[in-house]
Amino acid sequence: MEIIIWGLLIAGAGTMVVIFTEPIYHFTGAIGVIEDKLPGGTKGVFKIIGVIMVIVGILMFTGTAGYLFGPMGEWLLGLIKR
């Protein structure tokens, strides 16, 4: 049951990161290494992190993380249950 709650929280947090990328960027500022090396810049990396959080959250609360990732998914779910 707590996996469903954790999945919803992670998906919600990821959604907030994607929606509020601009305020997060103004809070943290530009990250020099990311600006130099990646084409999307700091804002793009924030959006990618948010999308990954949403995907992981959905996989967690639907219970498909273990099915898709096999032992690695079960290990990740085991870490969260601790």
Side-chain angles (χ1 to χ4, degrees):
M1 182 66 171
E2 66 261 358
I3 291 297
I4 295 171
I5 294 169
W6 277 108
L8 288 172
L9 288 174
I10 291 172
T15 303
M16 291 295 123
V17 168
V18 171
I19 291 172
F20 297 112
T21 300
E22 194 69 28
I24 294 170
Y25 176 75
H26 288 299
F27 179 73
T28 61
I31 300 171
V33 174
I34 293 174
E35 295 290 333
D36 292 341
K37 302 291 182 185
L38 298 174
T42 304
K43 293 179 189 176
V45 170
F46 287 157
K47 288 188 186 250
I48 289 171
I49 290 170
V51 169
I52 290 171
M53 287 174 67
V54 169
I55 291 170
V56 168
I58 290 171
L59 289 176
M60 285 175 64
F61 74 76
T62 59
T64 56
Y67 176 73
L68 291 177
F69 298 115
M72 185 179 77
E74 294 297 325
W75 177 75
L76 288 173
L77 291 175
L79 284 178
I80 293 173
K81 284 185 178 181
R82 290 184 191 175

